[in-house]
Amino acid sequence: MPTYRDEAVVLRTHKLGEADRIVTMLSREHGKIRAVAKGVRRTASKFGSRLEPFMVADIQCYVGRSLDIIQQAESLGSYGSNITADYASYTAASVMVETADKVTDDDGSLQQYLLLVGALRSLSRREHNPSLTLDSYLLRSLSIAGWAPSFVDCAVTGAPGPHSVFVAQMGGVVADEVAPPGSPRLSPATLELLGALLAGQWDVAEAADERSRSQASGVVAAYTQFHLERSLRSIQHVDRSA
């Protein structure tokens, strides 16, 4: 049977039989992969720990009829243990991999792959506040998928900003004349934080106060779930207190 090799980040796993596991991965070149890792639930398994969620591995698979079979897995990024050791990082990472699973089709996306690997690496190294890392990831992932939000100019008319009314269904901030009645207004500090998270301006993001962070997180969650057209099961467990 034909074989292939690729880099992949593990999104989720499911038990199969008594000793096997189905592993769903987002790969660098082959899109989204669902493959069977045989025997990985046995204590003698050599590569079971390399195929846990949040891990990045160099994998070799051969093509099966319905599911591919993982033959080898070598660790490229052992992020899982550091992430799961911290609840805030673990809950943030759980939302990230669930989002990556939903925004990518079987063909995958190199940009989405690189973004996810970079975000998981950052979480494992404790580079930034986990909540900020998550919100930045979500905004960038949606932008790559074609849903870039506007936080300055009107998302409907293009009228130059700043505007303060945010409407997820309309794509971001909108001018007062097109805003639905009762739409929430965001503070200038929150809008500055959202723009910084989208652009990766970490000095600005980390200087934001708690009120702005809380308001921004609510906006990002609403915007994400609207465009995914379904709820993220893991987002309700996110620890925003870190």
Side-chain angles (χ1 to χ4, degrees), residues 64-183:
R65 290 184 178 180
S66 57
L67 294 171
D68 296 346
I69 307 296
I70 302 172
Q71 295 176 304
Q72 297 178 8
E74 299 296 333
S75 178
L76 295 176
S78 299
Y79 307 137
S81 58
N82 285 343
I83 289 175
T84 56
D86 177 69
Y87 184 72
S89 297
Y90 170 73
T91 56
S94 296
V95 176
M96 290 177 184
V97 295
E98 185 180 355
T99 300
D101 196 10
K102 293 183 186 303
V103 299
T104 55
D105 55 23
D106 290 342
D107 293 333
S109 163
L110 176 59
Q111 286 181 293
Q112 293 284 2
Y113 170 79
L114 295 174
L115 176 67
L116 179 59
V117 170
L120 293 175
R121 182 189 302 118
S122 179
L123 280 178
S124 72
R125 295 176 178 176
R126 311 286 193 266
E127 291 178 352
H128 307 291
N129 176 282
S131 182
L132 292 177
T133 302
L134 171 60
D135 288 340
S136 179
Y137 168 81
L138 291 174
L139 290 174
R140 294 186 189 188
S141 179
L142 292 172
S143 296
I144 293 171
W147 300 310
S150 174
F151 296 127
V152 180
D153 298 336
C154 177
V156 175
T157 67
H163 301 288
S164 62
V165 178
F166 183 88
V167 185
Q169 298 89 329
M170 291 182 168
V173 293
V174 296
D176 288 351
E177 55 266 28
V178 297
S183 299

Side-chain angles (χ1 to χ4, degrees), residues 25 66 86-87 89 91 121 123 169 189 195-197 204 209 215 219 225 231 237:
M25 300 168 284
S66 57
D86 177 69
Y87 184 72
S89 297
T91 56
R121 182 189 302 118
L123 280 178
Q169 298 89 329
L197 291 171
V204 176
D209 59 36
Q215 190 175 42
V219 167
Q225 299 198 82
S231 62
H237 302 298

Side-chain angles (χ1 to χ4, degrees), residues 25-89:
M25 300 168 284
L26 179 61
S27 71
R28 186 183 182 98
E29 297 178 0
H30 291 82
K32 206 151 53 174
I33 299 170
R34 294 182 76 242
V36 176
K38 290 185 174 294
V40 295
R41 289 163 54 207
R42 296 193 181 103
T43 56
S45 171
K46 295 181 179 179
F47 60 89
S49 62
R50 302 167 193 164
L51 295 172
E52 294 291 341
F54 320 137
M55 303 292 278
V56 182
D58 182 332
I59 59 169
Q60 179 175 304
C61 302
Y62 70 81
V63 180
R65 290 184 178 180
S66 57
L67 294 171
D68 296 346
I69 307 296
I70 302 172
Q71 295 176 304
Q72 297 178 8
E74 299 296 333
S75 178
L76 295 176
S78 299
Y79 307 137
S81 58
N82 285 343
I83 289 175
T84 56
D86 177 69
Y87 184 72
S89 297

